[in-house]
Amino acid sequence: MPQIPEKIHELTVGQLSARSGAAVSALHFYESKGLISSRRTSGNQRRFTRDALRRVAFVRAAQRVGIPLASIRDALAELPEERTPTREDWARLSEAWRAELDQRIAQLGRLRDHLTDCIGCGCLSLENCALSNPDDVFGERLTGSRL
C-alpha cells in the first residue's frame, strides 16, 4: 500500500483511491452524494484533505452492513468538516443505526420464513402471501388480480 508522506496534506483522487481501496469512480460518486468533499486546483483537478481517507473507510464500513447512503451522509454531516472521524464517532453514529439494522434483520427473517409460502401461488393476492400482499390488503380493497 503506498504511503503518503506526512508533509502532504492533500491527496489526488488517484492517491485517495490507492490508499482507500475504493475505485476512482466510487470516490466521484461519494463526492456527488455529499459523503466526501474536495477542492479544485487551478487546473480543475480534485484535491482531498487527508481526513477523506477515514471518511471513505467510514462510508465503506457502513455500506457493508447495509446502511443507505442517505443515512451515511446524514451521519457524516454531524461531524466537523476536515476532522478525521474517530472510533468514538463511529461508536456513537453506529449505535443510532442499531434499531434500523435490528428491524431489517427481523424483516429478512420473516421473508425467509414465508418465502416458500408464495412460490408457485401465482396469485399474490392470497391471504397468506406475506411478500407482495401482506394481510391480503389488496383483496379487501379490490377483487381480482391487481398486482
Side-chain angles (χ1 to χ4, degrees), residues 102-115:
D102 288 342
Q103 182 181 23
R104 272 202 238 150
I105 290 167
Q107 183 180 25
L108 286 171
R110 285 190 303 274
L111 173 63
R112 179 199 60 223
D113 295 344
H114 295 288
L115 185 61

Side-chain angles (χ1 to χ4, degrees), residues 122-126 129 131-134 136-139 141-147:
C123 174
L124 299 180
S125 184
L126 299 174
C129 185
L131 297 178
S132 295
N133 189 17
D136 197 26
V137 293
F138 288 106
R141 289 187 280 165
L142 303 167
T143 58
S145 178
R146 297 289 184 256
L147 298 177

Side-chain angles (χ1 to χ4, degrees), residues 2-140:
Q3 295 297 315
I4 302 169
E6 286 296 319
K7 65 183 178 188
I8 296 177
H9 297 288
E10 291 186 319
L11 307 170
T12 65
V13 71
Q15 289 170 322
L16 182 58
S17 173
R19 290 280 293 149
S20 69
V24 169
S25 59
L27 297 174
H28 290 169
F29 178 74
Y30 292 164
E31 186 177 16
S32 73
K33 297 299 181 185
L35 300 167
I36 58 175
S37 60
S38 68
R39 73 168 186 86
R40 297 294 184 131
T41 66
S42 59
N44 203 31
Q45 296 175 329
R46 290 175 170 89
R47 292 293 185 264
F48 297 89
T49 56
R50 291 176 66 92
D51 69 292
L53 278 169
R54 184 70 59 89
R55 288 177 182 267
V56 170
F58 184 96
V59 170
R60 293 179 61 149
Q63 281 185 299
R64 276 194 295 275
V65 296
I67 303 299
L69 288 179
S71 296
I72 298 169
R73 183 185 57 240
D74 293 345
L76 286 171
E78 293 180 21
L79 301 176
E81 282 296 316
E82 297 186 11
R83 179 175 72 75
T84 302
T86 64
R87 183 178 307 236
E88 293 78 22
D89 292 330
W90 175 253
R92 179 175 45 82
L93 295 173
S94 63
E95 181 62 32
W97 294 328
R98 182 173 293 281
E100 181 180 341
L101 291 173
D102 288 342
Q103 182 181 23
R104 272 202 238 150
I105 290 167
Q107 183 180 25
L108 286 171
R110 285 190 303 274
L111 173 63
R112 179 199 60 223
D113 295 344
H114 295 288
L115 185 61
T116 56
D117 295 345
C118 289
I119 291 177
C121 81
C123 174
L124 299 180
S125 184
L126 299 174
E127 263 183 58
N128 65 352
C129 185
L131 297 178
S132 295
N133 189 17
D135 302 321
D136 197 26
V137 293
F138 288 106
E140 291 175 9

